[in-house]
Amino acid sequence: MSLLIISHSDCLRHRPPPGHPERPERLEAALRGARQIASAIWSDAVEASTQQLERVHTRSYLDRLNSADAAGQSMTLDPDTHLGPGSLRAARLAAGAVCAGVDAATSGTHSAALALVRPPGHHAESGRAMGFCLYSSVAVAAAYALAAHAIERVAVCDFDVHHGNGTEAILAGDARMLLTSSHQWPLYPGTGDPRQPAASNVVNAGLPPASGSNEFREAWLAQLLPAIDAFAPELILISAGFDGHWRDPLARLQLKDEDFYWIGEQLKSLADRHAKGRLVASLEGGYDLKGLEESVLAFGEALA
């Protein structure tokens, strides 16, 4: 089946202060890459529902964001994370896009889906915005898959250069979930130390600064892919961050476009083996525009 790409132009309306790395041009670059995938089918995202968000976020946190949005306020939620006009709709669309991907994958209309949206999500905790993220979009989709579909085991795979502390805090200890992550270590946000696992359902692989293709692939081949294989998930969700690319300004890994093709191919193979091909990926990081465009193209071609 063809790859379903889910996006929305209103994700461009989230506008952090000038000079912020999480800027609208990121999404434009990702879309340029995806438009080169000839077989892709495109769909507009819809906002995540309150019920979907409440499965992983506290009511008080959601109320705070909703009140600020309704008042048209601009807020600094943490030193890196900003809320302004258009931000909350963009974040709801981002979370809703991953949930729509789950619907498509579980219904069989498209086994693989890629949500090209912003802001990213994997640093957002249940009651706190953090690291450019407002809603923990992939965690929202994982909880939705378990609650709304006949899915009993979900593997969440994260290859963003930064550890997804929010996803981990939300999913840790839930035996229906497996979280696997490769990330530069040490690096922001300071979590994800592989020597201190958060729970038995979490597998972290830390990559030292300057690690490249060999170290990245070995971490997945030796630790993360076998854990996913043994878990035999019925759905694979991916936090697809491309800031491990050698061009990226926010970290020091040395990955290439072909590494993102490779990891997409590996995870798609596991989805085919265990999950009837059901796989949904969502854009996380990636802050060099050329690197992001080329990486999304490579990763999307592997899924397609």
Side-chain angles (χ1 to χ4, degrees), residues 54-274:
E54 283 182 330
R55 291 192 180 101
V56 305
H57 290 292
T58 65
R59 180 72 259 174
S60 60
Y61 174 64
L62 296 176
D63 286 346
R64 180 187 177 208
L65 294 184
N66 290 337
S67 295
D69 182 62
Q73 295 177 353
S74 294
M75 299 176 61
T76 298
L77 301 173
D78 90 338
D80 302 307
T81 312
H82 305 274
L83 177 74
S87 297
L88 208 59
R89 172 159 165 79
R92 290 193 193 110
L93 288 167
V98 198
C99 292
V102 169
D103 288 336
T106 53
S107 69
T109 55
H110 298 275
S111 59
L114 174 59
L116 293 181
V117 287
R118 58 179 288 278
H122 72 157
H123 293 308
E125 298 181 352
S126 61
R128 179 168 71 144
M130 184 176 174
F132 312 162
C133 304
L134 300 178
Y135 298 135
S136 190
S137 299
V138 169
V140 169
Y144 172 65
L146 293 170
H149 295 281
I151 299 290
E152 296 181 353
R153 294 182 308 281
V154 178
V156 176
C157 312
D158 190 333
F159 55 79
D160 191 279
V161 79
H162 303 95
H163 178 249
N165 60 291
T167 309
E168 181 176 281
I170 292 167
L171 303 186
D174 189 333
R176 302 170 298 171
M177 312 273 201
L178 174 71
L179 175 60
T180 60
S181 174
S182 68
H183 44 272
Q184 183 178 318
W185 174 261
L187 189 66
Y188 177 91
T191 55
D193 186 345
R195 300 166 299 181
Q196 299 176 345
S200 60
N201 68 321
V202 175
V203 185
N204 286 316
L207 302 173
S211 294
S213 302
N214 291 342
E215 293 86 352
F216 174 75
R217 297 187 189 203
E218 178 59 25
W220 281 92
L221 287 169
Q223 301 177 61
L224 307 179
L225 295 172
I228 300 165
D229 198 19
F231 184 66
E234 297 176 324
L235 172 68
I236 291 179
L237 300 179
I238 304 172
S239 279
F242 301 101
D243 39 6
H245 194 279
W246 68 269
R247 297 175 61 108
D248 203 274
L250 296 192
R252 292 182 56 203
L253 294 190
Q254 299 295 310
L255 302 186
K256 303 178 179 68
D257 311 338
E258 51 263 38
D259 294 313
F260 297 113
Y261 182 94
W262 178 84
I263 190 60
E265 193 174 47
Q266 295 295 315
L267 294 173
K268 186 66 169 66
S269 176
L270 286 173
D272 290 341
R273 184 181 310 161
H274 296 295

